[in-house]
Amino acid sequence: MEDPRKKYINWPTLALMGFVTVVGFDDLIYNFQNQGLSVIVSWILMIVLYVVPYSMMVGHLGSVFNHETGGLSSWVRGTNGDFMGYLTAWTHWAASIPYIVDTANTIVIGIGWLIKGNANLQDQLSNSGFALLTLVVFVVFIYVQSKFQNSMEFLSKVGGIAMFSMAVLFVIMTFAALSMGGHIETEPITAKALMPKFDFHYLTTIGLLIYGINGAESIAPFITKMRNPQKEFPKAMIMLAVMTGFLTIFGSFSLSVFFNAYHLPADLKMNGSYYAFQALGQHFHLGNIFMYIFAITEILYLSALLAVLLDAMTRMLISDTGSKYIPKVLQKTTDSGLPINGYLLTCGLSAFIMMLGIFLPSMLDVFDWLLNLNGIISPGVTCWVFFAFIQVRKRNSEFPSDYVFIKNDKMAQAIGWWCLIITLSATIFGIGPKDVPSMSSTWWYELIINIVAIASLVGLGAILPYLAKREVRSNKGSAFTQKQWIAISIVLLVTIVGDLYIGGTHVKNSNWLMILITAIGVTLIYICGHKQHDLKEVNI
């Protein structure tokens, strides 16, 4: 029976909540540069063949695990045990690292536009200067988050809605400009130009498409707050797909009005949003007013998002996995409850990711590489959604649900496998560098640091449970002795500095030298730390 005291969410509200988490204006810019006009057809294919089933699967999983708040790691834990749940939580957290760094970088870009009113910052700032300013942003927002967490969460929601409002405004005013005799920069717009070329380059860009439209799992917990999930949730997801389709298809076409899709600016991913609103304001003889409004909206939204992410992702990792797999040193909190060592790990890995790209040719290359790294790691995490759904439908009787996506279990599993294969393929092909000449020295450097970044983030997740076990066995509660910690730290520091130095030079076979240095470093770390010297005495 319906509880009269319970507050229900109607399906249009749920659709709007999902819309805010799924796609933004910047996502249109990124993929427009990757694929040009053909991105319009790509968006249509993705919405029909991917977004709709993906959203429905999220609804099914959220309904099954409603008692565990529908979190991604709880879905996998519920189907495959604690360790797989931990691994999911770790990869979800690891995926946030490049996203956090990219967010901080974008804040720096936004501040540059707000102060200068143009894109000159990229010509005046070195890679190291860009990294330093990004680090300053980190420090500021760690402090802000610790003092004003609730206000930042509220500002994120307000800023998110404002960002989508700006995107819709851009589309509407573009068509208004055309109705007033506006000129279309992209000419001619032909059927051939609209059709994607399914080559290697195209395969490397699918990950960024998925990155632009994933995130529906964040609304999964709310399915249990609907009056009739079986009937209302599909309506919400259809509405979500329609809104996403409107923004992606017409938004991409609107970009073709102000940018020549056949000759796009090289810095479109970094500055394209500002160029777009600048062009819109100039068309209506309003100067840079739209650009400044967008810059303020972008900075406020991303600032709040960064502050919340730094805390939320760290707490999620520690609280959702427990002491069995996380070393006690990372679970340490301050008197106010802040997971201080978790913060340090987050900032340390973020700094490591920034250092990997510091020797790329320019600030633009650093920005594009970090963005493309998100297009690898983010889809990789989304694979867990389909993995959990397949497991649930294989053992359907064990997992009852108020909302069921496709009653036929075999058909449901087939669609789950379809989405999993697409997402996993996008993750693998996404490792191939973009935005740089193929097989050039920069291409090879980006390929290597892509692999290093992924191996470091995922590999550390495999090491932490081992360290937790060593803590339990230790008579001092530490994974390593003081001498071992010192030796490991020195080797790690020398290895990182050596790789960065070689990466910044133009010596012959520098890539192979970096691989050799890394291999030697890993070997020495193993030699220094593999033996445990302070085991607890066992009473027989």
Side-chain angles (χ1 to χ4, degrees):
M1 293 180 64
E2 186 175 301
D3 186 355
R5 296 171 298 178
K6 184 176 181 179
K7 293 183 178 180
Y8 293 97
I9 294 178
N10 57 41
W11 62 267
T13 300
L14 188 67
L16 288 170
M17 292 170 62
F19 186 52
V20 170
T21 63
V22 168
V23 66
F25 188 76
D26 287 336
D27 296 315
L28 306 183
I29 295 285
Y30 302 153
N31 289 286
F32 189 73
Q33 183 170 26
N34 277 345
Q35 298 188 16
L37 276 177
S38 66
V39 77
I40 295 175
V41 173
S42 293
W43 283 124
I44 295 173
L45 293 174
M46 289 297 295
I47 290 166
V48 174
L49 300 176
Y50 190 88
V51 174
V52 172
Y54 162 51
S55 302
M56 299 296 188
M57 291 180 209
V58 164
H60 187 112
L61 290 167
S63 182
V64 169
F65 297 102
N66 60 80
H67 57 287
E68 297 184 40
T69 69
L72 181 59
S73 59
S74 68
W75 300 347
V76 178
R77 182 186 296 109
T79 56
N80 287 84
D82 287 345
F83 180 74
M84 293 297 286
Y86 156 75
L87 194 59
T88 304
W90 173 265
T91 53
H92 193 197
W93 176 83
S96 72
I97 299 297
Y99 184 40
I100 288 172
V101 176
D102 184 52
T103 300
N105 281 345
T106 308
I107 291 173
V108 174
I109 301 299
I111 293 173
W113 272 92
L114 189 61
I115 295 174
K116 296 177 174 294
N118 54 46
N120 289 347
L121 183 68
Q122 67 187 26
D123 299 322
Q124 301 171 353
L125 199 62
S126 65
N127 290 1
S128 57
F130 190 32
L132 181 61
L133 285 179
T134 302
L135 183 61
V136 170
V137 169
F138 271 115
V139 174
V140 169
F141 286 103
I142 285 177
Y143 175 79
V144 169
Q145 185 283 326
S146 66
K147 300 295 183 182
F148 309 106
Q149 179 183 358
N150 292 335
S151 61
M152 288 296 101
E153 290 176 355
F154 172 76
L155 190 57
S156 291
K157 296 174 184 177
V158 174
I161 294 172
M163 283 293 294
F164 282 104
S165 298
M166 291 295 291
V168 173
L169 175 67
F170 180 79
V171 173
I172 293 173
M173 295 199 71
T174 299
F175 281 89
L178 290 176
S179 68
M180 297 166 58
H183 173 68
I184 299 178
E185 288 292 328
T186 302
E187 291 184 351
I189 298 179
T190 63
K192 182 179 179 180
L194 290 169
M195 289 304 298
K197 296 179 180 179
F198 298 102
D199 53 12
F200 180 76
H201 171 75
Y202 182 84
L203 294 175
T204 65
T205 63
I206 295 176
L208 210 55
L209 282 171
I210 294 175
Y211 169 67
I213 54 179
N214 64 4
E217 59 269 20
S218 63
I219 64 170
F222 297 100
I223 189 174
T224 58
K225 296 183 179 181
M226 305 182 81
R227 271 193 173 87
N228 190 344
Q230 189 67 36
K231 292 183 178 180
E232 292 184 332
F233 188 78
K235 292 180 182 179
M237 293 303 99
I238 291 172
M239 180 177 172
L240 171 62
V242 170
M243 290 189 297
T244 303
F246 169 83
L247 184 60
T248 54
I249 295 168
F250 289 102
S252 298
F253 173 77
S254 298
L255 292 174
S256 71
V257 173
F258 294 101
F259 299 102
N260 185 345
Y262 304 115
H263 301 285
L264 292 170
D267 62 341
L268 190 69
K269 287 181 179 177
M270 186 165 70
N271 297 305
S273 298
Y274 299 96
Y275 289 150
F277 282 100
Q278 192 174 50
L280 186 65
Q282 291 172 356
H283 179 85
F284 286 96
H285 307 290
L286 294 173
N288 286 333
I289 184 66
F290 287 126
M291 183 274 291
Y292 282 117
I293 292 174
F294 177 80
I296 294 171
T297 301
E298 178 97 315
I299 293 169
L300 289 176
Y301 168 61
L302 293 178
S303 297
L305 179 62
L306 178 61
V308 173
L309 278 174
L310 284 169
D311 183 70
M313 298 308 296
T314 302
R315 290 181 187 273
M316 182 276 294
L317 174 67
I318 294 173
S319 64
D320 198 39
T321 54
S323 59
K324 185 177 180 180
Y325 301 110
I326 297 292
K328 292 179 181 178
V329 66
L330 289 180
Q331 299 178 52
K332 180 182 178 182
T333 58
T334 63
D335 294 336
S336 58
L338 292 178
I340 184 64
N341 288 337
Y343 273 8
L344 292 176
L345 177 63
T346 301
C347 292
L349 285 176
S350 298
F352 172 70
I353 294 297
M354 284 189 289
M355 285 192 297
L356 286 177
I358 201 171
F359 290 115
L360 287 168
S362 68
M363 172 180 159
L364 175 60
D365 291 300
V366 175
F367 183 91
D368 288 346
W369 170 70
L370 279 168
L371 174 63
N372 292 328
L373 185 61
N374 279 294
I376 304 170
I377 296 179
S378 181
V381 175
T382 305
C383 289
W384 289 114
V385 174
F386 310 119
F387 173 78
F389 179 77
I390 293 169
Q391 299 304 309
V392 164
R393 299 313 295 266
K394 279 183 177 180
R395 295 138 55 193
N396 196 28
S397 60
E398 298 178 33
F399 302 102
S401 174
D402 291 333
Y403 166 71
V404 178
F405 171 54
I406 302 180
K407 293 184 179 180
N408 185 291
D409 289 331
K410 296 294 183 182
M411 179 64 70
Q413 289 179 51
I415 296 177
W417 277 108
W418 161 258
C419 289
L420 177 59
I421 291 171
I422 288 178
T423 311
L424 185 60
S425 300
T427 302
I428 295 171
F429 281 108
I431 297 175
K434 295 165 280 295
D435 305 311
V436 294
S438 180
M439 303 299 169
S440 63
S441 58
T442 303
W443 189 93
W444 282 106
Y445 181 73
E446 286 195 8
L447 179 64
I448 290 173
I449 59 179
N450 279 344
I451 296 172
V452 170
I454 296 169
S456 300
L457 292 174
V458 177
L460 184 58
I463 292 173
L464 289 183
Y466 168 71
L467 297 182
K469 288 182 179 179
R470 285 182 65 121
E471 280 185 348
V472 173
R473 295 197 302 262
S474 170
N475 58 27
K476 295 182 180 179
S478 176
F480 301 105
T481 63
Q482 185 178 17
K483 290 182 179 179
Q484 285 178 312
W485 276 119
I486 293 174
I488 290 171
S489 299
I490 291 174
V491 173
L492 183 62
L493 182 62
V494 171
T495 302
I496 292 174
V497 171
D499 280 340
L500 290 176
Y501 174 77
I502 295 297
T505 64
H506 298 286
V507 298
K508 188 177 180 180
N509 297 322
S510 60
N511 294 332
W512 289 108
L513 284 174
M514 291 173 65
I515 293 174
L516 178 62
I517 291 173
T518 302
I520 293 173
V522 170
T523 303
L524 290 176
I525 288 174
Y526 173 78
I527 292 173
C528 293
H530 82 284
K531 188 174 182 180
Q532 190 164 351
H533 298 280
D534 55 351
L535 293 173
K536 290 181 179 178
E537 293 184 6
V538 180
N539 294 322
I540 302 177

